[in-house]
Amino acid sequence: MAPSMEIDDNVDKKSKSTTAAKKVGTPSASSEEASPHPDMSLAQDIHRVMMVHSSTLSVEDATAIIGMDPAALLDKVISRVGTGGKSVEEAIKENEAKYNKTEEDSTKDKKKDEEEDSDKTEEIVEPLLNAALYRHLQSTLGYNKSDALSEVNLTAIEAHHEAIIKILRENITKAKDEA
């Protein structure tokens, strides 16, 4: 039998309910939008790729477990951590638009997202645009394909993140002043 990378299903319900009852820290979204079980698929995919790379898991066993070739999974992970297959400029522009919306635009988009969620059968995943994680995975896993992001592109993504952080801080200050 091939090794399994699945989470143990035999966790007793009592421990789950006490864990769920504990509120540690601040959720990343408002309480009505926060998920009690965040999507960990990217973290799981990174773990699987790292297990194969470290030879802890054979390619054959990994293929049997994940249902795809580990090389294809690596491409999927790198794409998601980077720009999602888009050009750096396009990914940055879309991400900036998300943070530069007015309150009215946000309300319209929320209603549109709710309508799309009811029709959604396949999850559309946004690119992470995480230059530090991309660099780490690239060096650790030896990812050097022709579509790999260059250092110039990764620096542009970092600059974009600094600009977004500035926008978010300004929004926090504005909200505090209005409260």
Side-chain angles (χ1 to χ4, degrees):
M1 184 169 140
S4 173
M5 294 176 64
E6 298 302 317
I7 298 172
D8 293 337
D9 290 331
N10 59 355
V11 177
D12 65 83
K13 292 180 181 179
K14 184 178 180 182
S15 66
K16 277 187 178 179
S17 64
T18 57
T19 304
K22 293 179 184 176
K23 299 237 179 197
V24 180
T26 305
S28 60
S30 66
S31 58
E32 57 272 355
E33 293 176 4
S35 171
H37 308 288
D39 181 15
M40 298 298 292
S41 62
L42 179 61
Q44 291 168 340
D45 288 345
I46 290 171
H47 174 71
R48 290 175 178 132
V49 169
M50 296 296 280
M51 294 288 288
V52 171
H53 181 75
S54 67
S55 300
T56 305
L57 188 64
S58 72
V59 173
E60 296 79 22
D61 288 343
T63 302
I65 292 169
I66 60 179
M68 72 186 321
D69 180 53
L73 181 62
L74 173 60
D75 291 341
K76 177 183 164 186
V77 166
I78 289 289
S79 175
R80 170 85 195 282
V81 170
T83 61
K86 302 172 186 169
S87 71
V88 173
E89 295 79 15
E90 183 183 357
I92 287 174
K93 187 176 179 181
E94 286 179 9
N95 200 25
E96 276 180 351
K98 185 168 65 172
Y99 290 101
N100 284 325
K101 293 180 181 175
T102 64
E103 195 171 314
E104 183 178 311
D105 292 340
S106 296
T107 304
K108 288 178 186 176
D109 284 348
K110 188 174 181 179
K111 288 178 183 176
K112 183 180 174 185
D113 288 346
E114 288 171 359
E115 291 170 7
E116 288 177 1
D117 283 346
S118 62
D119 298 337
K120 194 186 290 185
T121 56
E122 188 175 308
E123 184 178 342
I124 298 172
V125 182
E126 289 185 39
L128 200 54
L129 294 174
N130 188 327
L133 180 56
Y134 191 95
R135 281 188 186 104
H136 174 72
L137 292 174
Q138 191 175 29
S139 66
T140 303
L141 302 172
Y143 189 83
N144 57 2
K145 289 190 174 182
S146 61
D147 64 341
L149 296 177
S150 68
E151 190 57 36
V152 171
N153 288 335
L154 293 172
T155 303
I157 290 171
E158 285 178 331
H160 165 70
H161 279 285
E162 291 299 321
I164 295 301
I165 289 171
K166 183 179 178 188
I167 290 169
L168 293 173
R169 285 187 176 140
E170 289 170 357
N171 289 342
I172 289 169
T173 304
K174 181 180 174 184
K176 284 180 181 178
D177 291 344
E178 291 175 359

